[in-house]
């Protein structure tokens, strides 16, 4: 799929399919068509702030390597800034499955790889995600992580921390 038009069509389809999945989970979505800098979808829900979602897609890279390459960069290979998007969602075309990542856990890497658990290969354990699992070890269709990240991102934007959520002691 090296043809640019074909790749662009696949990207558009992945973005709309992601919006469909998020809509089924209670989000109102605006799809920007992948031509917006830094994110593709705005996913909103009444109880949280709107989330900026970057959608990527791919196929297993080869029969020998059996991994997906997930780009954290623009088409030109430029790394997304730390605040370009909140959540990255990756669509595995050949499996019709999804992976959810936070922007923070992808850090300064322009790409990372994912090996599906059933392929039996020992995945790298060097990079742990925000929620304790190695980012290469997560289970597909981890949409519950999207909700967890959206809630956490909303609390951060409101300045709520664990310490501040406790009641203030009576000083009188």
């Amino acid at each position: 799929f090296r043809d640019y038009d074909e790749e662009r069509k696949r990207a558009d389809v992945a973005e709309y399919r992601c919006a469909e999945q998020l809509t089924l989970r209670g989000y109102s979505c605006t799809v920007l068509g992948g031509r917006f800098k830094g994110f593709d979808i705005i996913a909103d829900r009444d109880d949280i702030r709107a989330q900026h979602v970057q959608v990527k897609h791919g196929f297993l890279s080869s029969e020998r390597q059996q991994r997906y390459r997930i780009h954290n960069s623009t088409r030109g290979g430029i790394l997304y800034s730390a605040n370009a998007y909140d959540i990255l969602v990756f669509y595995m075309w050949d499996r019709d499955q999804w992976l959810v990542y936070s922007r923070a856990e992808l850090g300064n890497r322009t790409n990372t790889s994912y090996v599906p658990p059933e392929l039996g290969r020992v995945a790298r354990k060097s990079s742990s995600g925000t929620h304790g699992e190695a980012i290469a070890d997560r289970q597909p269709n981890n949409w519950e992580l999207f909700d967890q990240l959206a809630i956490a991102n909303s609390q951060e934007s409101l300045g709520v921390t664990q310490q501040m959520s406790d009641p203030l002691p009576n000083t009188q």
Side-chain angles (χ1 to χ4, degrees), residues 59-62 65-69 113-116 121:
F59 294 86
L60 281 174
S61 57
S62 73
Q65 291 189 319
Q66 295 286 305
R67 66 186 172 101
Y68 292 91
R69 175 168 275 168
S113 57
Y114 174 76
V115 178
R121 191 168 145 192

Side-chain angles (χ1 to χ4, degrees), residues 69-113:
R69 175 168 275 168
I70 302 167
H71 296 279
N72 186 30
S73 59
T74 65
R75 189 160 189 54
I78 299 168
L79 178 69
Y80 289 114
S81 70
N83 59 357
Y85 63 86
D86 299 306
I87 301 170
L88 185 140
V89 179
F90 182 76
Y91 181 57
M92 296 176 279
W93 275 99
D94 45 345
R95 294 169 173 266
D96 192 25
Q97 294 179 325
W98 300 88
L99 294 166
V100 175
Y101 295 91
S102 74
R103 172 64 187 100
E105 70 188 325
L106 294 174
N108 291 328
R109 290 185 297 258
T110 55
N111 61 66
T112 191
S113 57

Side-chain angles (χ1 to χ4, degrees), residues 109 112-113 115 117 120-129 132-139:
R109 290 185 297 258
T112 191
S113 57
V115 178
R121 191 168 145 192
V122 178
R124 63 186 158 91
K125 304 282 185 189
S126 60
S127 299
S128 290
E133 66 191 348
I135 64 174
D137 292 342
R138 65 190 54 197
Q139 293 296 315

